[in-house]
């Protein structure tokens, strides 16, 4: 049996669910009926939401997307490692190693200050322009390098914020036991820091998965470029919509998961 | 055999003078208690003793050797002087056993298997054998503080420093931690503690030092300090806390 209070709480909850459902349906219906009334809608529907072309191009686009995934998979670990190294450079305290600190600061400032697409162009066209022989003129290598350099700068800043978030009393405790500064970093600070910034880094890597498409500008036939090829072939934009759908299949669950981790951590800390 | 002597210690943070000419001798097996108002410099003095803070002037002699000389390896020295803080500072991502094993493993280059028996022995000695595999957030404040003591002891220090280690604890948990100090005193550990537990200092201290504005204003056996303080500031302080 429910108490009076529980019964009341249950009624209130049911009511708010009902209201939410009704208003959502109303909003969708509004869009569904109003948008087709726009004068340009038939043309837009034909060139962006053409079911036939969607079905025809989707499998090949999915194949092309595997190349995006591959590029992501070899870039991601390198970004994590380089990002960590740069973050550690920025944390060194000994005056003899000041040049490392300076290098870390310049690296993160410069690479975060230039649009990714510009770096992709500069490195992706610039370096092979030196006349290197195969395989060193491959756009895969230099395009990936551009992504690795840019993203490691962002990831380094995330790691650094994690390192700084570990309270100084933890370092003091470790050092008072006679641990060396490097052991203190490795066994005490980093494990806590890395754990704290997992959600922030996940968001960074989701952004990376999207930005892999920028390599289409310098050659590799990944999903965006493949969609462009189809667009020209069929004189229709639906392949771009299909490509967007493919990205969403990956990025929405990943974003949700990162948000979930983030709020879980926030709850744990409070 | 361990003896710690502080000779004319000076320490400032910028303009702020926190230790001005402190002299203190801690003999082998002695328990010395530092008392004094908050901000009088107790923590800073303890932190200077194991080189977490660098002193501006003076000498810190451990068994006659000056450990404060520039150029000495601070890690080497800290391994001989343990310190326990008010806020436990256990490593939250390691269980109690790992917390204790980390420093001996890394600094003495000994394997886990080799260390395990003696570390287990330590946990047993302080009644925490059944808590070894718990993480800090699964332990009460009193248990965490005892693990922190064990962690410092695992380095086999010659001297132990304690900085108000019961101040952050709920009243009912204070006793178990004080018992650990009693036990260490019985076992002959040389120790210096900053404390607000006056009755504990009265009961066990060999010497009590009253710190005021970075100076030891008055020192002596607990009977003298507590029942018959000479300085008016000591009298006022004791009146406010007793
Ligand atoms: N790292 C620091 N930087 C600047 N001032 C400090 C620092 N640590 C302590 N102090 C100052 O030194 C004085 C003594 O502090 P402390 O040693 O913590 O005293 P106690 O432990 O007796 O309360 C205080 O006024 C405090 O503000
Ligand atoms: Mg203090």
């Amino acid at each position: 049996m429910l108490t009076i209070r529980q019964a009341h709480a249950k009624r209130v909850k049911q009511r708010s669910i009902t209201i939410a459902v009704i208003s959502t349906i109303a909003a969708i219906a509004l869009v569904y009926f109003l948008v087709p009334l726009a004068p340009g809608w038939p043309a837009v529907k034909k060139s962006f939401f053409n079911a036939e072309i969607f079905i025809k191009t989707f499998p090949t686009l999915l194949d092309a997307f595997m190349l995006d995934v591959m590029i992501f998979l070899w870039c991601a670990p390198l970004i994590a490692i380089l990002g960590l190294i740069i973050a550690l450079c920025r944390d060194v305290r000994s005056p003899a190693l000041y040049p490392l600190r300076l290098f870390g600061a310049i690296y993160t400032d410069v690479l975060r200050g230039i649009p990714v697409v510009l770096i992709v162009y500069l490195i992706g066209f610039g370096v092979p322009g030196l006349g290197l022989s195969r395989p060193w003129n491959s756009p895969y290598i230099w395009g990936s390098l551009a992504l690795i350099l840019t993203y490691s700068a962002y990831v380094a800043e995330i790691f650094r914020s994690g390192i700084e978030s570990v309270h100084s009393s933890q370092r003091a405790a470790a050092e008072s036991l006679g641990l060396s500064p490097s052991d203190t970093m490795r066994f005490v600070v980093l494990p806590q820091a890395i754990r704290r910034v997992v959600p922030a880094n996940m968001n960074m890597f989701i952004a990376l998965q999207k930005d892999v498409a920028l390599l289409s500008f310098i050659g590799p036939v990944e999903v965006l470029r493949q969609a462009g090829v189809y667009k020209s072939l069929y004189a229709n934009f639906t392949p771009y919509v299909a490509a967007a759908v493919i990205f969403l299949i990956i990025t929405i669950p990943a974003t949700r998961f990162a948000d979930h981790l983030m709020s879980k951590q926030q709850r744990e800390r409070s | 055999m361990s003896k710690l002597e502080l000779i004319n210690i000076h320490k400032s943070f910028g303009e702020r003078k926190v230790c001005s000419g402190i002299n203190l001798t801690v003999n082998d097996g002695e328990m010395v208690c530092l008392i004094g108002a908050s901000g009088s410099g107790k923590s800073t003095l303890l932190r200077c003793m194991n080189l977490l803070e660098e002193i501006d002037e003076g000498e810190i002699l451990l068994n006659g050797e000056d450990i404060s000389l520039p150029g000495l390896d601070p890690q080497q020295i800290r391994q001989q002087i343990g310190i326990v803080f008010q806020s436990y500072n256990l490593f939250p991502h390691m269980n109690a056993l790992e917390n204790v094993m980390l420093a001996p493993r890394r600094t003495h280059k000994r394997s886990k298997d080799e260390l395990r028996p003696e570390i287990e022995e330590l946990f047993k000695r302080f009644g925490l054998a059944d808590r070894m595999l718990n993480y800090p957030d699964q332990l009460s404040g009193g248990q965490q503080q005892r693990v922190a003591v064990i962690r410092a002891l695992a380095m086999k220090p010659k001297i132990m420093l304690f900085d108000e280690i019961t101040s952050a604890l709920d009243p009912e948990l204070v006793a178990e931690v004080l018992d650990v100090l009693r036990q260490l005193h019985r076992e002959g550990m040389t120790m210096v503690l900053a404390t607000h537990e006056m009755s504990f200092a009265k009961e066990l201290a060999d010497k009590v030092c009253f710190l005021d504005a970075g100076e030891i204003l008055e020192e002596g056996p607990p009977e003298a300090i507590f029942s018959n303080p000479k300085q008016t500031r000591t009298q006022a302080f004791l009146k406010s806390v007793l």
Side-chain angles (χ1 to χ4, degrees):
Chain A
M1 265 315 284
L2 296 178
T3 66
I4 295 178
R5 268 171 216 292
Q6 284 168 336
H8 176 74
K10 200 173 156 194
R11 268 200 313 277
V12 168
K13 194 169 163 204
Q14 274 170 353
R15 235 186 75 180
S16 53
I17 291 175
T18 314
I19 292 174
V21 169
I22 291 174
S23 65
T24 308
I25 291 174
I28 292 174
L30 215 60
V31 171
Y32 187 80
F33 290 111
L34 285 187
V35 169
L37 296 182
W41 173 245
V44 168
K45 190 178 170 198
K46 197 160 149 271
S47 55
F48 283 88
F49 301 102
N50 185 322
E52 196 190 323
I53 292 178
F54 188 97
I55 292 165
K56 203 153 45 177
T57 59
F58 193 82
T60 319
L61 288 173
L62 200 57
D63 264 356
F65 183 67
M66 285 306 125
L67 180 58
D68 291 73
V69 173
M70 295 288 289
I71 293 171
F72 172 85
L73 287 179
W74 70 59
C75 286
L78 294 173
I79 287 167
I81 294 167
L82 187 59
L84 190 57
I85 292 173
I86 301 290
L88 290 175
C89 282
R90 296 203 64 179
D91 188 72
V92 294
R93 274 135 203 241
S94 122
L97 298 178
Y98 182 76
L100 275 184
R101 241 187 128 106
L102 187 66
F103 164 76
I106 294 175
Y107 184 95
T108 48
D109 281 357
V110 168
L111 284 156
R112 288 184 310 156
I114 306 174
V116 194
V117 64
L118 250 179
I119 299 184
V120 169
Y121 269 126
L122 289 175
I123 298 182
F125 286 131
V127 181
L130 295 174
L132 302 174
S133 57
R134 299 190 70 194
W136 294 107
N137 57 3
S138 153
Y140 290 96
I141 295 179
W142 302 109
S144 301
L145 181 70
L147 292 177
I148 290 167
L149 291 178
T150 311
Y151 272 84
S152 60
Y154 286 98
V155 167
E157 282 303 284
I158 292 175
F159 277 133
R160 191 167 76 107
S161 72
I163 288 170
E164 280 172 5
S165 78
V166 176
H167 199 264
S168 62
S169 63
Q170 287 281 311
R171 282 190 200 227
E175 277 168 19
S176 75
L177 289 165
L179 285 174
S180 67
S182 60
D183 276 355
T184 299
M185 181 51 82
R186 178 170 157 208
F187 293 100
V188 176
V189 178
L190 273 189
Q192 299 182 58
I194 290 176
R195 227 167 283 196
R196 277 183 208 179
V197 297
V198 164
N201 272 332
M202 273 197 66
N203 282 326
M204 220 56 240
F205 283 109
I206 292 165
L208 169 66
Q209 179 66 84
K210 292 181 288 176
D211 277 352
V212 168
L214 293 176
L215 297 205
S216 63
F217 295 138
I218 59 168
V221 183
E222 49 67 67
V223 65
L224 180 57
R225 196 167 175 107
Q226 183 65 55
V229 170
Y230 278 139
K231 180 215 68 178
S232 310
L233 186 64
Y234 295 115
N236 190 292
F237 289 103
T238 305
Y240 283 137
V241 175
V245 168
I246 290 173
F247 274 106
L248 288 177
I249 292 171
I250 296 277
T251 50
I252 288 182
T255 313
R256 284 277 134 205
F257 183 60
D259 286 354
H260 165 75
L261 283 184
M262 188 100 72
S263 56
K264 196 172 124 195
Q265 278 196 348
Q266 234 138 38
R267 272 200 309 278
E268 276 167 9
R269 231 182 290 179
S270 58
Chain B
M1 174 63 207
S2 42
K3 178 173 180 180
L4 188 70
E5 290 161 277
L6 305 185
I7 301 168
N8 194 28
I9 302 293
H10 288 264
K11 170 75 189 169
S12 305
F13 292 110
E15 291 290 284
R16 197 180 162 78
K17 189 114 205 185
V18 181
C19 300
S20 28
I22 289 194
N23 291 290
L24 176 66
T25 301
V26 187
N27 287 310
D28 188 46
E30 263 185 0
M31 176 190 273
V32 171
C33 287
L34 308 175
I35 61 171
S38 171
S40 56
K42 305 181 295 293
S43 299
T44 306
L45 187 58
L46 291 176
R47 291 167 62 85
C48 287
M49 289 186 209
N50 85 337
L51 313 187
L52 283 175
E53 302 288 355
E54 216 173 307
I55 58 172
D56 302 332
E57 208 189 310
E59 291 168 50
I60 304 175
L61 306 183
L62 179 60
N63 297 332
E65 279 181 58
D66 190 350
I67 55 172
S68 69
L69 288 176
L72 293 179
D73 177 10
Q75 282 158 241
Q76 179 63 40
I77 291 156
R78 288 187 197 127
Q79 290 166 25
Q80 306 176 50
I81 306 179
I83 186 166
V84 183
F85 305 95
Q86 176 178 339
S87 52
Y88 341 134
N89 300 346
L90 292 183
F91 308 133
H93 57 296
M94 300 180 188
N95 66 30
L97 185 63
E98 290 163 342
N99 259 280
V100 173
M101 284 224 248
L102 176 64
R105 224 158 45 83
R106 298 300 303 171
T107 58
H108 298 162
K109 302 279 175 243
R110 298 172 63 192
S111 74
K112 280 187 189 174
D113 293 340
E114 195 188 335
L115 279 164
R116 180 95 187 210
E118 69 188 65
I119 303 282
E120 275 185 21
E121 197 49 45
L122 266 177
F123 274 93
K124 274 202 202 106
R125 214 165 99 203
F126 295 99
L128 281 173
D130 54 338
R131 292 292 177 180
M132 279 193 319
L133 300 181
N134 285 118
Y135 282 82
D137 61 5
Q138 301 167 322
L139 299 172
S140 74
Q143 290 167 337
Q144 289 188 55
Q145 195 56 293
R146 281 149 69 200
V147 172
V149 174
I150 294 173
R151 182 172 71 177
L153 288 174
M155 294 298 291
K156 305 204 172 98
K158 298 195 170 112
I159 305 226
M160 284 286 289
L161 313 174
F162 299 90
D163 190 0
E164 299 196 29
I165 64 168
T166 56
S167 301
L169 295 176
D170 292 334
E172 73 272 20
L173 301 176
V174 169
E176 64 183 78
V177 174
L178 292 183
D179 278 341
V180 167
L181 295 179
R182 274 192 194 93
Q183 185 176 342
L184 280 175
H185 186 49
R186 244 191 346 264
E187 292 170 3
M189 175 61 77
T190 309
M191 31 195 192
V192 183
L193 44 128
T195 186
H196 279 148
E197 301 285 335
M198 295 304 156
S199 55
F200 180 79
K202 214 184 278 184
E203 169 199 333
L204 279 187
D206 296 289
K207 178 155 68 187
V208 176
C209 301
F210 173 65
L211 254 78
D212 184 65
E215 283 181 273
I216 295 184
L217 208 58
E218 190 166 355
E219 65 171 277
E223 311 82 60
I225 299 283
F226 287 110
S227 357
N228 192 15
K230 300 272 182 309
Q231 305 282 339
T232 47
R233 299 200 46 110
T234 320
Q235 290 161 2
F237 171 75
L238 288 174
K239 213 164 151 197
S240 73
V241 295
L242 287 178

